Amino acid sequence: MSDQLPPIVVDARRLLPPEPMERTLEALDELKPGQEVLLMIPRQPAPLFDMLRNNGYAYTVESQPDGVFHIHIRHAAD
């Protein structure tokens, strides 16, 4: 779809906790309908997954060859 909004990218590959969670929550506050947040992080953030499920977000996880995880987050209704 050509009118799709670009993702909000949160590059947390070199950040220490709790900064990845804080930056992701800030990005979610900016999320528009149909848009997603792309979180790039070197581990699977289990506490974030619980928070997302409990607050109406859906996500998918893609493991990259370099060991980084790409977490795609969107409103569950989208």
Side-chain angles (χ1 to χ4, degrees):
M1 179 162 51
S2 61
D3 60 347
Q4 187 173 358
L5 294 169
I8 300 170
V9 177
V10 177
D11 185 350
R13 291 177 287 184
R14 290 182 169 73
L15 301 178
L16 297 175
E19 202 168 1
M21 174 78 86
E22 292 169 349
R23 290 202 183 176
T24 301
L25 295 177
E26 289 169 4
L28 290 173
D29 284 342
E30 303 298 319
L31 198 59
K32 295 182 176 37
Q35 191 176 31
E36 73 174 21
V37 170
L38 169 58
L39 171 61
M40 298 182 297
I41 191 164
R43 61 198 165 283
Q44 291 202 46
L48 175 64
F49 294 156
D50 291 337
M51 188 279 310
L52 293 172
R53 280 191 296 271
N54 292 334
N55 288 283
Y57 294 96
Y59 64 89
T60 56
V61 179
E62 294 179 340
S63 179
Q64 303 299 307
D66 62 359
V68 171
F69 293 94
H70 285 190
I71 318 286
H72 299 266
I73 308 166
R74 65 199 170 287
H75 291 285
D78 287 347

